Amino acid sequence: MAESKKWVYLFEEVAEVEKYAGSWDGVRGLLGGKGSGLADMTRAGVPVPPGFTITTEACNEFRKTGQFPLGLWDQVLAALKVVEQQSGKKFGDPLNPLLVSCRSGAKFSMPGMMNTILNIGLNDQVAGGMIKLTGNPRFVYDSYRRLVEMFGTTVFNFDDELFEHPLAEYKAGKGYKLDLEMTAEDWQALVATFKAAFKKQAGFDFPQDVLKQLELATKAVFESWMGKRAIDYRKATGISDDLGTAVNIVTMVFGNMGDDSGTGVAFTRNPSTGDKKMMGEYLLNAQGEDVVAGIRNTDQIENLGKTMPQVYRQFMDITGKLEKHYKDMQDVEFTIERGKLWMLQTRNGKRTAKSTIKIAVDMSNEGLISREEAVLRVTPEVVDALLHPQFDENSKKTAVVYAKGVNASPGAAVGQAYFDADTAEEMAKENKQQTIMVRPFTKPDDVHGMIASQGVLTSEGGATSHAAVVARQFGIPCVVGASMIKIDLENRIMEVDGNVVKEGEWISVDGTTGQVYIGKLPTSAPSLEEQTDLLTLLGWADDIAARKDIRILPDGRKAPGLQVWANADYPKDARRARSYGAKGIGLCRTEHMFFETERLPIVQKMILAETSAERTGYLDQLLPTQRKDFDGLFEAMDGYPVIIRLIDPPLHEFMPDEEKLFEEVVTMRVKGETLGLKEKEDLLASIKSLHESNPMMGLRGVRLSITMPEIVEMQVRAIFEAAADCTKRGIVVRPEVMIPLTGTVKELEWIQPRLIRIARTVTEEKKVDFHYKFGTMIEIPRAAVTAGEIATLAEFFSFGTNDLTQMTFGYSRDDAERNFLVTYVAAGILPRNPFQTLDREGVGKLMQMAINDGRKTRPELEVGICGEHGGDPDSIEWCHMIGNNYVSCSPFRVPIARLAAAHAALKYSGQKIAEDK
Amino acid sequence: MAESKKWVYLFEEVAEVEKYAGSWDGVRGLLGGKGSGLADMTRAGVPVPPGFTITTEACNEFRKTGQFPLGLWDQVLAALKVVEQQSGKKFGDPLNPLLVSCRSGAKFSMPGMMNTILNIGLNDQVAGGMIKLTGNPRFVYDSYRRLVEMFGTTVFNFDDELFEHPLAEYKAGKGYKLDLEMTAEDWQALVATFKAAFKKQAGFDFPQDVLKQLELATKAVFESWMGKRAIDYRKATGISDDLGTAVNIVTMVFGNMGDDSGTGVAFTRNPSTGDKKMMGEYLLNAQGEDVVAGIRNTDQIENLGKTMPQVYRQFMDITGKLEKHYKDMQDVEFTIERGKLWMLQTRNGKRTAKSTIKIAVDMSNEGLISREEAVLRVTPEVVDALLHPQFDENSKKTAVVYAKGVNASPGAAVGQAYFDADTAEEMAKENKQQTIMVRPFTKPDDVHGMIASQGVLTSEGGATSHAAVVARQFGIPCVVGASMIKIDLENRIMEVDGNVVKEGEWISVDGTTGQVYIGKLPTSAPSLEEQTDLLTLLGWADDIAARKDIRILPDGRKAPGLQVWANADYPKDARRARSYGAKGIGLCRTEHMFFETERLPIVQKMILAETSAERTGYLDQLLPTQRKDFDGLFEAMDGYPVIIRLIDPPLHEFMPDEEKLFEEVVTMRVKGETLGLKEKEDLLASIKSLHESNPMMGLRGVRLSITMPEIVEMQVRAIFEAAADCTKRGIVVRPEVMIPLTGTVKELEWIQPRLIRIARTVTEEKKVDFHYKFGTMIEIPRAAVTAGEIATLAEFFSFGTNDLTQMTFGYSRDDAERNFLVTYVAAGILPRNPFQTLDREGVGKLMQMAINDGRKTRPELEVGICGEHGGDPDSIEWCHMIGNNYVSCSPFRVPIARLAAAHAALKYSGQKIAEDK
């Protein structure tokens, strides 16, 4: 017989596999996650039930031919022989039977998507022998009926009903409610019933040949790789169909063999707090599912030290080793069969955000992992979750839960309830209200209302309903399927058991727990100062990103990674940003200040001024307040750069609502009212003259400054007067004036010298000197394409990726998000919302061009990003790759960005900046 | 004395200059246009008055030091000696005086911007001698007072008034109205007065030393190079300040020395018709200005053959030679002094559009120039002027001119008069009226009204007024400064001598002549068929562009130049395009058909349909008419490709006006009317739900097709059913289906296979086969950036440069043109309106990237352009350079584009396609 390929590896043959596969990743590919884990534990001297793995290569051969490849079955039989020796039991031997499980296990975890068959090796004879051995007929018959059922449904794909129906009928006949009430005799009867059902459906008897059982089970696992569920899952998660699954044949061990047996689960550290203390529970004389089912009260793992001190010592020793081996907190399952400890599984344990950070920091301090590894262990999402506003725990205790649904999108939201999207949007946008949109369910038409709201609540649908998907996409707290709520759209109320909430009343929605409350529950953002572990970790992250050799510039010089700055319009935001670790202000939006109640009337008069002199008069009134704004900002950011963007939005945004005014005018005309009509008509005409078909691409930004330079002249004077005053007070100011919406260098040539003249005039008037810059946003595609020219004047670039994304895609964000973006993401036309995560292929490519061309002109060009993407980890990575100096984001996202910047630095450490267009 | 540089060249030393300068361009640079022309004529044996040129190098030295460079004056004196010999006269000799002119002459013509002084060499003594010689004291004193005046104003920069005032006073004293009435004695008296005035102002006598006259005049010419007028002119026209001017010292000859003397001007061919027949006029015993002034009746040039047969023969011989020498129709000036013919100037003659073409074609047929040269002689603007709609000549004869103003922007416009921009725009856009905007003058606020109108008429302002500048920029016929019109904005009328035109009445405005008529004058576009010379020329142009080796592709293969296709929505447009030489339809806008009166109600119902089935029902009603549209188009374009763009605009464009409906609803509510209110409210809500903040970047194009595929499915069915029907009738169809607004290849992956299935279904149903393509517009910046991916599906690209310009610049065209584009062009921030001439640096660069990346994926990718730029010569040149296969433009511009394509082909003949990003 020709030497056939090796398809089967015993757990202890791990070194041989590693040699063949070339790497541990190769081992995982060949043996799957579970198989490689069992082999790895075996190698580490951990007592693992004997067993072997059939490789993914065998699976792939099987998929091609529908047959076991040559030699496979012989190798299985040989491996089984070894396992019999190791376990001291014999497969199919009623006197000392070996039972095995047959489990799927692919390279990447696909929980519940493929088949597993337990208790293989049981037949009528073996069952009889086992009853003698264990003295526990109830356990044996229960195991046997499970095998028959699993075989039928899993190997032969029979309908579950075939077995569930007779069981239900039997229980009904006995008056049982729970399986627990079934006796040994009951299960014995059921075994007979199941076998009969099997025969009727299959046309042959349930196989008594244990090897036949093993063969069929193995084939069924292979086939389950190409089952619909598995394929769908892989498509959704991007796992390749070519990988195949391995099959693990493992000796069954039983914790219910008496009081010297038991089973349990444990975490090597506290998964909730991260404390370095084993946490777990166990049950004597029990099976794994008994622990999970919560039928009997489990014991704390510490007590095992009293009942079985030797096993406990061994357990603590093994888990200690496992933690060291995997360098992470482990989640283990174990069984004690007649005094012997078997480790059934170990894996990195799931944990809360808080404990993730504590464990990473602790393990690094313990010397188990490096600081880099600690930083990499914590994903930005973890930090996000930790800092997300949440309902105050004390308030929640006293508040009455109004309803409960599915926790579809996390976070705490408080707002006034509105029962349709249009109203919710209108109240949010026009009345500046906080709103919660409440609907039976949502449709694409409703997205604009969802986006405008703080939170969303539906009475129908589940975690994958439209409302849930959209809410998660946009980061809006959302509870769905709160089916106890009756929504009466006609009367604009909702009701739970006679408890009525009218439209406009306040409610609170907890997307993290699925609970809904009446009224306004206080929310709180956890204070960063108290999170000492997080502060430690972020400090390490900053150190990594600040290393001077993290990036190689195109000219060969070395450079550090990204800094994190923040977008802040007011001193209080700047102070928060600074306390969160921001190293500068990347965007201060000056026009926000124009909207303040006492200033808006002056701003409106200024806009409607008919002469430059009149306009300047109103601007003179605004100058002191703007100066005060900037003064506070410089003071808060003492020593750090502050980028101030000159006025950006179109002027009509400052004017009263046109439609409302039109309605008033028409009404007055129809009624024949003349008092004040003329004034209203004139105002309407003025507003109409400011109207634009596509305001996003109209008269705004630098275009506005060129057609009406008085406004920015006032702003620049305010900036430099404030900076001069601060300098005199001993504050170190680093103002950077940012001109928005540049599309051609000629715009800068027109405006920038005028503004610099004002800057010089002020510093001369005030007799102070400080360093300042003039630069521009890159947010128009043409600016990116002609960045080399623009850099002749601009001393810094800041990517306005919101607008750059709008114009590169030709998407008006408002319109796109409500009209087609959800459809596009759902249909896979866009991988994700490009307004949240930067589109590297399009927008990102333009950024890359702009940086390269800009630095060719001005090698020391400072480059940042101030669009929303500045706080998105994937986008931050791209900014690192293409050579940004910093990212600027909302103060709340600064910690996330700091971590993301470190991750990018580690991932691309020492690499050249990507120049490829 | 050291050998000094040669600063002075006699006209006959042209060979020596050429040797020194290295090329004729160098000669022009050294001697200026006039000097090199005189030298060139001298070499050709043409009798030119003896003279010499002081080089531009001398000028540049003079500019540096303020002194004549070493050796210059000696060379002038030496050259003057030669000229004395050649002319047989002596400078400053009263017995036989030589007078000279001292004329500026730079490399590039700067008409009227620099100084010229005539009659140098006259002083009291010489004047006396000349009177004896000529017996014409009036001429001599007139010449003398001119010299004094020119010297004062030009060399010494005295105010004109210094001389004009005494002359006016003198005439008033005598009761004269015209200079003509002045006698010899009168001029003699004036000479004395002028000399006294000169002395009083200068502090010294008018120089009697003729060499001093020459020296001062020469310096004055040099200095005039740096005069304000000259500098401004050069700045405006892009001529370098470093070039300097030459000075030409030329013997004065006089045509008023008796009946054997005379002077005249002539064109070697008819400048109006192009006929090959000398056309000119002359006067015996007269000076040049007498011919121009029109005081005496001139004789036709033919008559010179009778009066001075020998001179006439010589003249005809010389002009024939000049035409051959310059290979172009010449505009000559000549003087006969005592029977001797002197040629004073020859230059390429200005001519009408018609004659430009005829002369080019004739000269090529005569073998004087090649066909390539003939094609290059005719600029696209010439063809444009020829094909521009004009008022019918016969109608103009009988029509009464209502008013006359400045012809500010050419073309004929007919429309209803409206007296403000808003009304004009509203009537044009909403009522689809033809309008003429009439204003006293215009401001930037009015631009939207101008653009919406057929023509513009103002009662104030001149050729550089706002109205004039804007109208020319947008190609709108315009008459300005029609000051006899009184516009009464209050009563909405205009009036000329009691002749009232009310708002809304029809008027006709001739921007070519400046005339305004009441009523609708018939206009006609000249028929191309009758323009045989143009047809010949365009045929040659096509041959040039079609040469197979005009361009070298990046992979080294040779390729022809650009084809010209046309944008046409209806069969009649397609037929016109074909008759104008279009080789395909590059854009058929299918939605235009939806707007037709009988279809619009069905379209609106289709849009408001609530189910797909309902929508499909309405679309089924539209299918037959769409099929008919396409059938006619394919028939008209038998054998040629027809690109049909699927529906593009957002749906709200098909709906009634929202504001109007809102006004109706509000009015009904206020009045308490309920009948029909609900329907109106519902319709309003539907329209509101279609409203978008930036519709240009909203739900349109392929986005619409993906969210509502039924419409394009109907359209594709209609296209292929029509194509199949035509094929059965023996027509060769080449349909190309174009998907608009693609931003990612995934959009094509979603929609294109669906459409191809329909195409296949139809061809199978109809059992026919024909070649078709599916492709896309490249009009979103992201499409250009990711063109390599998009070309995996798209079989052709068509640049929609209107939208691509909008999004690359971030300009909404409507808003930009009315709000800031005029300001931007005026301030030089944009070199020109980027919606008319392609922005090569930004938009053009993206196109270049798209072609390069697209062809890397699909080497045979067909690339065209269907934006307005397809008809603009400068943009066409860019399309040639970057490798477009064709440009597509309005049928009317096809001839212009054919010529422009040939020009580009010749300019870049045999060159590689520009790949540089």
Side-chain angles (χ1 to χ4, degrees), chain B residues 124 127-128 131 136-146 148 167 170 174 176 179 182-196:
Chain B
D124 296 351
I131 292 170
N136 190 344
R138 188 184 183 282
F139 153 67
V140 174
Y141 287 121
D142 187 12
S143 301
Y144 195 10
R145 69 96 192 176
R146 281 177 202 262
V148 177
L167 172 57
Y170 189 94
K174 291 277 183 177
Y176 299 160
D179 284 4
M182 295 282 281
T183 63
E185 289 69 30
D186 291 333
W187 284 130
Q188 188 175 13
L190 251 297
V191 168
T193 310
F194 277 19
K195 286 202 292 185

Side-chain angles (χ1 to χ4, degrees), chain A residues 303-314:
Chain A
N303 292 336
L304 188 62
K306 294 169 198 155
T307 50
M308 300 174 89
Q310 202 176 342
V311 169
Y312 181 67
R313 270 198 305 280
Q314 187 193 4

